[in-house]
Amino acid sequence: SETEFANWYRADDGSANMPALNLHFEVARAYGRDMQALHWTPREILERANASDKPLQTFLQALDHIGGYKEDPLRKKATLLAVILRQRPEQFLRVAPAESVPPIIDYHLMRSCLRTGLIRVDDDALRQKLERRELVAADEEWAVRSAAYEAISRTQSLSGKSMGAVDWFFFGARRYCPEMTEPDCARCTLDAVCAHAKNLFQPARRTTFY
């Protein structure tokens, strides 16, 4: 039940402060229902993936059928899970040499793409919403996020760097281009080539995709 689920997230003092707990519950229930309907277990998914010629692709395709993952066409959580399983000391997931990890797009990469000019917002109404940090509609969030996906994908291709390296670079850029305070552009590696669109913010929208 949702009450039992909430108890799992209680702090030591008994408080339950998990944001949007109902969404967590819905996602967990969707995951369980699909796993039961498919008669799959996490171990079986990994074994099937590791036995294939393209383990990463096979793993991601399996999660396309499972609640909590299948809803996002850009596979953010699924891809992040694959990376975690691959990088664990146990190396739960094998990745073939010819396979590359696709972009993992969430808030910090969208914000970085917007501010540096990797993506441009031509729609004045959407640009104003982003600058004012107002809630955006689903199609507006998708416009920014899908553009960021393409921009990061091209960055990977042109630089020859892995998704991990590209993501780590932009994650580190938060030090000088933070989310809530004034950016320190002069100390940022990207200063010379950046669009300096400092007023732009990632799309503000409640989502379970990332």
Side-chain angles (χ1 to χ4, degrees), residues 2-209:
E2 189 167 354
T3 300
E4 291 175 322
F5 185 80
N7 287 334
W8 296 344
Y9 288 91
R10 291 193 183 280
D12 292 341
D13 63 4
S15 61
N17 300 315
M18 173 68 74
L21 186 63
N22 62 312
L23 295 181
H24 288 271
F25 178 69
E26 291 171 7
V27 168
R29 186 163 56 180
Y31 169 86
R33 285 175 173 171
D34 283 340
M35 290 291 280
Q36 284 188 324
L38 293 165
H39 303 288
W40 288 354
T41 67
R43 180 185 293 275
E44 289 169 345
I45 293 173
L46 283 170
E47 288 176 347
R48 189 159 50 246
N50 286 325
S52 71
D53 293 334
K54 297 180 178 179
L56 176 60
Q57 179 178 312
T58 302
F59 180 78
L60 294 177
Q61 288 175 342
L63 295 192
D64 286 343
H65 300 279
I66 300 172
Y69 299 99
K70 67 182 182 181
E71 298 84 2
D72 180 14
L74 298 186
R75 294 170 160 173
K76 188 271 178 176
K77 289 190 296 186
T79 307
L80 182 59
L81 177 59
V83 170
I84 292 170
L85 292 171
R86 177 193 182 190
Q87 293 182 348
R88 285 284 304 173
E90 301 90 342
Q91 294 186 327
F92 290 116
L93 179 65
R94 182 177 67 86
V95 176
E99 293 187 294
S100 60
V101 176
I104 303 173
I105 304 299
D106 58 11
Y107 296 113
H108 78 278
L109 281 177
M110 285 191 283
R111 186 174 64 255
S112 292
C113 286
L114 287 164
R115 290 182 173 180
T116 60
L118 280 176
I119 60 176
R120 186 180 65 197
V121 182
D122 293 328
D123 184 282
D124 290 337
L126 175 56
R127 187 179 184 89
Q128 287 182 5
K129 284 186 177 181
L130 296 174
E131 290 177 343
R132 296 171 182 171
R133 306 188 179 192
E134 297 175 351
L135 291 175
V136 300
D139 61 330
E140 293 172 323
E141 184 265 356
W142 172 253
V144 175
R145 189 164 175 247
S146 58
Y149 184 98
E150 177 63 24
I152 294 300
S153 180
R154 294 184 67 179
T155 300
Q156 288 178 254
S157 178
L158 291 171
S159 67
K161 301 296 183 181
S162 67
M163 179 58 211
V166 172
D167 185 64
W168 186 249
F169 175 82
F170 282 108
F171 192 81
R174 298 173 67 190
R175 181 178 181 184
Y176 301 119
C177 193
E179 188 171 9
M180 303 303 293
T181 56
E182 181 68 17
D184 185 359
C185 297
R187 300 179 67 186
C188 179
T189 307
L190 293 171
D191 185 44
V193 295
C194 183
H196 299 103
K198 297 184 291 183
N199 291 334
L200 290 176
F201 198 66
Q202 68 263 20
R205 182 171 178 79
R206 174 76 75 183
T207 178
T208 60
F209 288 7

